[in-house]
Amino acid sequence: MVNSASVSYNQALEIKNLSRSFGSKQALHDVSLPIPRGGVFGLIGANGAGKTTLIKHILGAHYAETGSVRVFGFDPVTHPVEVLSRIGYMSEDRDIPYWMRVQEIMNYTRSFFPKWDASFAEQLREMFDLDPKQRIRTLSRGQTARVCLLLALAHRPELLVLDEPSSGLDPVVRRDILAAIVQTVADEGRTVLFSSHLLDEVERLADRVAILHEGRVLLEGELDAIQESFRRITLRFEQAFSEAPSILGAIEYRGSGHEWTYVCRGDREQLIQAAKTVKAEVVHEASVSLDEIFVCSVNRA
Amino acid sequence: MQSVTAALTWEYLARNRWMLLLGLLLSSPIAWVTLLPFRDVDLQSVSQREVIPILMINVLCLVVVIGGCVIATQGSMSSFYLKPMSTTAIVNFFYWGGAFLVACQVALMLWMWKIFFVSDWPIVGSVLFAVVCWGVFQPIFRGSLESLSWVIMAPAAFLILCFWLMAKHGIPVQRGGMLSPQVHYWDSISGSDGLIAITTLCISYVLTLWRVDYDRSGRSRRTWTDRVRDFFASIDARSGSRMRLFQSPVHAQAWYDFQSRTATIPWPVLSIVPWFWLLGIIAGAISQDLGTGLTFALIGVTAATVVQIIPALFLPFISFLGHTITQETTTGEHINIKNSLSLGMSPYLFSLPMSDRQRAQAILRSSAWACGIASAIVLLSLAVPVGLSWGFGADLTMRKDEGPVKLDVLVPWFLVVVWGGSLLLSFVFATLVFTLDFRKWNLRDWLTPLILIAVLIASLTPIALPLSMGLGVIAAGYLVYATVQAVTREDISWVGASLVWLAGVAFFAVLFLVSPENFGDYGLVLGSTLLLLAMLPFFTTASAIRDLRTT
C-alpha cells in the first residue's frame, strides 16, 4: 500500500521486470528502468519497439502483466489521480478533441489540474501564436502539436512525458518542443521522458537514454557513459584479410585487405591491447554517434 | 470485378455493410414502443382509425432511419470524383442503388411488423412513399455538403411529403382528421400514384445529376444560403470570446461528454417539434380551426418523443461497431485493441487526472442532461396546446363521433407511456456502453440488452406476464449485486446508492398507482423492468470505465 510518504520518493519512475503481451505478440519483455528525478530521459527505438506501450504503462493505460510500474512511488493503475496530476503528457497521435476551440481546451484541461498556471498558459499561447477562438480541427499539424505541448506544460508537471514529440513536424515546431524540454528541466529541475527515433534530438537533449528493441532494453544509462563505451577504430593489419579478423568487443566492421574499421564496445585501453595481439596498428580512432550506437545495437540484437 | 457497378457495390458493402443492418435494428424499437400497447388488443375488431395514424408515424420514422443508414452505407459521393467514371455513372449508382436498398429494407421491416403486430397492414404504398422520399432528398443531400440549402429545402420537402402521405390515407385537414371515418389504409397503387412517383423520381434524378455535376466541377458558389451560414459562423466566432470556465473536473467532463456524445439525443426532438408545429399552423389555417392545428402539432410531439430513442440507441451501436479495432504490428501481426474513441474516450482524456468515480458521475450527469432536455422540450410542447386551448377556449376534442377523446385524457396516457418510457429508455441506451463490455461474451456484460430484448420477445408469448416478471426479478437481483459491488469498491457512496434506490422506489410507486388501471399488469412489469435497468448505470459505470481505461 502506498502512502503519502511516496510524494518524497526519489525516483520519478521505477519500472521493474515489466512484461506485456498482446495475443502472441510480446510487446515488452522484462523491462527494468530506474529514472531518477531531474534530467531528460530519452527512450529510443524503431517503430514498434515498445516505446508507446511502455509510456501507456506509465500512464496507467495498461496493467503490468508481470513486474511493476511506480510513478513517484504510486501505482498508476490504482492511483490514477495521484500519478496523472503530476504528469504532463503529449501523445504521438495528438488526439485532443478536434471540435474544441483553443481557449476551450485550455479551460477544459485547466479544470483537472489544481496547479494550472493560467499566466504561464497564456504566455505559451502567445509564444506559440495560437488564436484562442480557432477550432482545433482547423489548425495545422504543427499548431496542433503546439496546443498539445501547451496543455502538457501549463500545469508545470513534475514529469513531462512526450511520445514522439517531433514526429512529422517542421523544424520550427521541433525547435519549440526542444526548447520547452530544455526550459522545463533547466528552470525547474523537473523530469522529462521522451521517446523518439530522431536520434540527433535525443543526443542533443538527453542525460540518460534507453534503447528499446522488440520490447527489450538493449542499452540503458548515462548518455555520455554509453558514448564513452563505444569507439570507432580503424586498424591496419600486417597482412591482407578477405574477412574482418575477430577483435574483442567488436560489434560492427567494414573494410577490406589491410585496413578494417570496427565499432567496438569496451574500455579503450583494452581495445588497443586487443588490436596489438592480432598484430594491428590503430590508424584512426573516433567517438561514435548515438545513431551508430543505435544501429549497431539493433543489428547485433 | 466484371463492371464498375459490381466493383462499387462490393466496395461499399465490404466497408459499410453493418450500417445496413443498423437501419433495421434502429427502426425496430420505434415500432415496439408504439405498437406494443396494441399487442393485447384485437386490432381486427378495432377501427383502423386508431391504428393508422400510429402506422403512419412509424413509416415516417422508418424512412428517416433507413434512408440515413443507406446514405451512411454509401458514404460520400465525392470520394468517387477522382475515379475515371462519368458523373452519370456515379449518380446512377448512388441514386438508383440507394432507392433499391431503401425499398428492400422498408419492405422487409413492414413485413416483419405485419407478422408481429398488424396483420392487415398493406406494404406496397409505404414502400412507394419511402422510395419517393429517397429520391426527393437526393438533390438536397448530395452535392456540396458545405451548402446549407438543405436546411431550408429539406423541411419544405418533408412537409409536402407528409401531406401526400396523409392524403393517401384519406386524412382530411380538419379537426380530428386522423380519427375521421374516411381514414383508410393505402392499400393499392393507382395510376396517379405511379405517375406522381415516376415524375418526382425523374425530376429528382435530373436535379441530383445537375447538383453533383456542379459540385464535381469544383466551381465555387456563394448563394444566399451560404450567407446565412457565414452569419451563423460569425456568431459562433463571437461566442468564442465568452468561453466558460468549469467549476470542477466532473463539470468539465460532463460538458465534454454532452458535446461529443449525448447532445445527439435531444437534437431530433429539437429538429422535429418546430416543423410539426409549422404543420399544425398550416393545418389550422387551412381548416380555420385552432383545435385542428393543435392536434396536428400534438402528433408531431408524440413522434419526436419516440424518435429521441433512436440517437440514444445509436450510441451503443456505434460503439459496438467501432469498439474493437484491428491494428497491424510491425511484425505484420494483427492484434485487436479497444477503441475507446468510439465511447467518446481518447487516450488524451484518460491522461487527465480524474478518478473513475468522477468520470462515471460526469457521464451519468451528461446522459441525464441530454434525456432531460429532450423530455423538457416535449413537456413544453404539451404545455403550449393546453395553454392555448385554455386561453382561446379551443376545443381539443380528438374526435366527435363515438364519444370524444379529450386532451385531459390523452395527456396522462402520453406522459406515462410515451414520455416516461422514452425518457427511461433513452437514458438506458445513452449509458449502455458503460454497462457492458462488447468484447466479453459473458451474461453479466450483456444483461441489459438481453433483458430488454427478452422482455419484448416475451410479450409475444402466451406466458408474457410470468416470463417478463421472471426477467424483472433477474434484473432486480443483478441490480442488488451491482449495488453491493459498487459500494464495496467505493464507486458510489452509501448515501448516493441509497438516494438512487429511494428515487427508484418513488418512481415505482407512481408506476404502481397509475399502471394497473390504465395499462394492466404487463405494463407494470415492463415499466418496472425499464426502471431497474435505468438504475443500473449508477452502479456499473465507474467499473466499466476502469476496465476501459486500463487494458
Side-chain angles (χ1 to χ4, degrees):
Chain A
M1 195 69 185
V2 182
N3 56 36
S4 57
S6 302
V7 175
S8 60
Y9 204 78
N10 60 4
Q11 296 281 353
L13 269 168
E14 194 166 22
I15 298 164
K16 282 183 183 168
N17 309 111
L18 178 66
S19 294
R20 179 66 199 233
S21 58
F22 297 103
S24 59
K25 162 81 176 166
Q26 187 77 33
L28 293 174
H29 188 89
D30 200 27
V31 172
S32 292
L33 285 177
I35 301 179
R37 280 176 184 258
V40 181
F41 191 94
L43 200 56
I44 310 166
N47 291 327
K51 303 186 295 292
T52 301
T53 305
L54 185 62
I55 286 173
K56 284 188 173 177
H57 277 89
I58 294 166
L59 297 170
H62 289 325
Y63 284 108
E65 245 170 26
T66 59
S68 66
V69 178
R70 292 290 179 272
V71 184
F72 299 110
F74 291 104
D75 181 343
V77 173
T78 54
H79 294 79
V81 177
E82 289 83 349
V83 169
L84 295 173
S85 59
R86 291 175 165 84
I87 291 180
Y89 170 59
M90 179 175 170
S91 78
E92 183 184 8
D93 302 328
R94 330 258 190 264
D95 58 348
I96 52 177
Y98 65 91
W99 52 268
M100 285 192 199
R101 292 191 181 89
V102 171
Q103 188 65 53
E104 273 177 336
I105 199 164
M106 284 170 69
N107 292 350
Y108 171 74
T109 309
R110 176 185 183 168
S111 65
F112 293 88
F113 293 99
K115 291 181 181 172
W116 182 272
D117 186 337
S119 61
F120 180 46
E122 194 55 28
Q123 187 189 326
L124 285 171
R125 190 191 62 69
E126 283 173 11
M127 190 171 85
F128 293 157
D129 197 21
L130 295 166
D131 178 358
K133 292 177 189 171
Q134 203 171 352
R135 290 209 188 267
I136 289 163
R137 65 165 164 258
T138 64
L139 298 176
S140 68
R141 194 179 168 86
Q143 285 174 313
T144 309
R146 283 184 168 120
V147 173
C148 293
L149 188 62
L150 184 158
L151 300 175
L153 289 171
H155 61 101
R156 298 190 183 275
E158 292 174 55
L159 172 64
L160 184 62
V161 179
L162 308 171
D163 191 2
E164 301 282 2
S166 322
S167 173
L169 300 178
D170 63 64
V172 179
V173 186
R174 282 173 64 184
R175 185 201 60 198
D176 285 345
I177 290 171
L178 300 186
I181 295 172
V182 170
Q183 192 173 347
T184 304
V185 178
D187 293 355
E188 302 165 32
R190 294 166 198 267
T191 313
V192 179
L193 167 72
F194 76 110
S195 74
S196 182
H197 51 249
L198 300 173
L199 300 179
D200 58 324
E201 275 181 13
V202 181
E203 201 164 7
R204 278 169 58 196
L205 294 168
D207 309 316
R208 294 174 68 87
V209 295
I211 296 178
L212 269 179
H213 181 64
E214 292 180 354
R216 292 171 193 270
V217 178
L218 298 182
L219 271 176
E220 187 275 320
E222 301 270 349
L223 178 59
D224 291 343
I226 288 174
Q227 284 186 313
E228 277 291 310
S229 69
F230 283 82
R231 312 287 306 167
R232 190 194 305 111
I233 56 171
T234 304
L235 301 179
R236 180 184 293 279
F237 293 91
E238 284 181 357
Q239 63 177 95
F241 291 97
S242 57
E243 283 199 6
S246 172
I247 296 287
L248 181 70
I251 296 170
E252 205 174 76
Y253 55 84
R254 64 169 186 271
S256 61
H258 290 277
E259 213 167 275
W260 292 84
T261 299
Y262 294 85
V263 173
C264 303
R265 188 177 186 194
D267 181 65
R268 179 176 176 275
E269 296 306 319
Q270 280 182 341
L271 291 174
I272 291 170
Q273 195 59 42
K276 282 179 183 170
T277 58
V278 291
K279 294 178 181 173
E281 176 196 355
V282 178
V283 292
H284 186 254
E285 192 182 342
S287 58
V288 182
S289 68
L290 186 60
D291 194 69
E292 282 175 295
I293 294 171
F294 174 73
V295 172
C296 289
S297 304
V298 168
N299 285 346
R300 196 182 182 198
Chain B
M1 297 294 166
Q2 297 296 310
S3 67
V4 171
T5 307
L8 293 181
T9 307
W10 172 83
E11 193 271 334
Y12 87 53
L13 287 180
R15 178 163 44 89
N16 279 336
R17 59 186 178 275
W18 294 112
M19 289 303 291
L20 289 175
L21 182 64
L22 191 66
L24 299 177
L25 292 171
L26 282 177
S27 47
S28 299
I30 306 165
W32 283 102
V33 169
T34 52
L35 297 175
L36 202 60
F38 294 93
R39 180 66 199 169
D40 294 333
V41 179
D42 179 11
L43 290 173
Q44 305 298 329
S45 66
V46 177
S47 163
Q48 289 176 343
R49 282 173 288 160
E50 276 81 7
V51 184
I52 286 176
I54 295 170
L55 297 185
M56 280 174 54
I57 291 167
N58 274 291
V59 167
L60 280 173
C61 295
L62 195 62
V63 170
V64 172
V65 172
I66 286 182
C69 286
V70 169
I71 286 176
T73 305
Q74 291 181 323
S76 169
M77 207 182 256
S78 60
S79 61
F80 292 89
Y81 288 174
L82 297 177
K83 293 193 191 305
M85 292 172 70
S86 70
T87 303
T88 311
I90 295 173
V91 171
N92 282 347
F93 178 72
F94 276 77
Y95 188 91
W96 300 114
F100 176 73
L101 285 174
V102 166
C104 290
Q105 291 211 37
V106 169
L108 179 64
M109 282 309 293
L110 291 175
W111 177 72
M112 284 169 64
W113 294 355
K114 192 178 160 80
I115 289 174
F116 286 123
F117 301 112
V118 190
S119 58
D120 59 342
W121 191 351
I123 292 176
V124 64
S126 302
V127 172
L128 183 76
F129 175 73
V131 171
V132 170
C133 284
W134 170 263
V136 166
F137 282 98
Q138 288 309 294
I140 295 168
F141 286 118
R142 298 299 181 184
S144 172
L145 293 175
E146 290 299 308
S147 170
L148 283 184
S149 56
W150 64 271
V151 171
I152 310 299
M153 290 169 65
F158 177 73
L159 285 176
I160 294 167
L161 287 167
C162 281
F163 278 113
W164 185 46
L165 187 67
M166 283 167 56
K168 291 313 298 177
H169 285 86
I171 298 172
V173 182
Q174 64 179 49
R175 176 162 43 122
M178 278 200 160
L179 301 171
S180 62
Q182 62 263 47
V183 170
H184 57 77
Y185 280 131
W186 185 3
D187 47 11
S188 63
I189 304 289
S190 65
S192 63
D193 291 339
L195 189 65
I196 289 170
I198 290 169
T199 309
T200 312
L201 285 172
C202 289
I203 292 171
S204 301
Y205 172 75
V206 172
L207 287 173
T208 309
L209 200 59
W210 170 77
R211 180 110 194 255
V212 173
D213 186 54
Y214 197 94
D215 193 44
R216 197 182 189 190
S217 68
R219 278 172 284 182
S220 64
R221 54 185 165 184
R222 187 177 157 78
T223 62
W224 64 274
T225 54
D226 291 328
R227 292 193 186 99
V228 172
R229 184 193 61 198
D230 291 346
F231 170 72
F232 283 116
S234 68
I235 292 173
D236 190 43
R238 272 199 293 275
S239 71
S241 59
R242 298 190 300 276
M243 279 170 278
R244 67 180 70 206
L245 279 172
F246 302 101
Q247 293 147 4
S248 65
V250 175
H251 183 207
Q253 188 59 31
W255 172 81
Y256 170 83
D257 194 52
F258 182 78
Q259 296 281 340
S260 63
R261 205 174 63 86
T262 54
T264 50
I265 294 170
W267 181 83
V269 179
L270 270 168
S271 313
I272 291 172
V273 165
W275 291 107
F276 268 100
W277 273 101
L278 183 62
L279 184 71
I281 291 166
I282 294 169
I286 292 171
S287 62
Q288 299 283 304
D289 178 48
L290 180 64
T292 304
L294 293 176
T295 308
F296 272 79
L298 275 173
I299 291 162
V301 175
T302 314
T305 314
V306 176
V307 164
Q308 93 175 53
I309 300 167
I310 296 172
L313 185 62
F314 199 69
L315 297 174
F317 270 107
I318 283 291
S319 305
F320 177 74
L321 297 174
H323 190 58
T324 301
I325 54 172
T326 304
Q327 203 173 59
E328 189 175 353
T329 66
T330 46
T331 55
E333 198 175 359
H334 289 84
I335 55 168
N336 288 327
I337 60 167
K338 271 184 177 179
N339 180 16
S340 51
L341 274 173
S342 65
L343 305 180
M345 295 288 167
S346 70
Y348 173 74
L349 297 177
F350 279 130
S351 75
L352 298 171
M354 188 180 200
S355 67
D356 302 322
R357 181 171 161 171
Q358 286 176 313
R359 220 179 282 276
Q361 284 171 1
I363 285 162
L364 292 168
R365 190 186 286 188
S366 136
S367 304
W369 276 352
C371 301
I373 288 170
S375 299
I377 295 165
V378 170
L379 277 182
L380 192 68
S381 300
L382 284 170
V384 171
V386 173
L388 284 176
S389 64
W390 179 75
F392 293 95
D395 180 11
L396 286 176
T397 307
M398 297 297 285
R399 62 184 183 193
K400 287 182 170 176
D401 61 324
E402 299 168 16
V405 177
K406 285 188 177 288
L407 199 69
D408 59 348
V409 177
L410 177 77
V411 169
W413 184 91
F414 182 84
L415 275 177
V416 175
V417 173
V418 184
W419 181 80
S422 298
L423 175 63
L424 285 178
L425 205 54
S426 56
F427 182 76
V428 168
F429 287 138
T431 52
L432 188 62
V433 286
F434 299 103
T435 58
L436 79 166
D437 190 334
F438 294 113
R439 298 167 313 142
K440 296 177 186 169
W441 291 96
N442 62 49
L443 190 62
R444 196 194 70 175
D445 290 306
W446 283 84
L447 198 77
T448 301
L450 284 177
I451 285 181
L452 276 173
I453 293 165
V455 167
L456 293 174
I457 291 173
S459 68
L460 304 174
T461 66
I463 51 164
L465 187 61
L467 199 57
S468 303
M469 281 176 75
L471 290 163
V473 170
I474 292 172
Y478 182 66
L479 185 62
V480 171
Y481 167 78
T483 306
V484 173
Q485 286 272 315
V487 172
T488 312
R489 290 172 178 164
E490 296 182 0
D491 288 340
I492 189 168
S493 64
W494 272 110
V495 176
S498 305
L499 285 174
V500 173
W501 272 95
L502 273 174
V505 169
F507 268 105
F508 179 78
V510 172
L511 196 64
F512 187 78
L513 289 172
V514 175
S515 191
E517 189 185 335
N518 295 298
F519 316 112
D521 293 335
Y522 182 69
L524 179 65
V525 172
L526 201 65
S528 308
T529 308
L530 194 55
L531 187 59
L532 291 169
L533 295 178
M535 289 165 68
L536 196 56
F538 289 92
F539 306 107
T540 57
T541 304
S543 170
I545 286 171
R546 192 177 300 114
D547 287 346
L548 189 68
R549 179 171 61 84
T550 306
T551 51

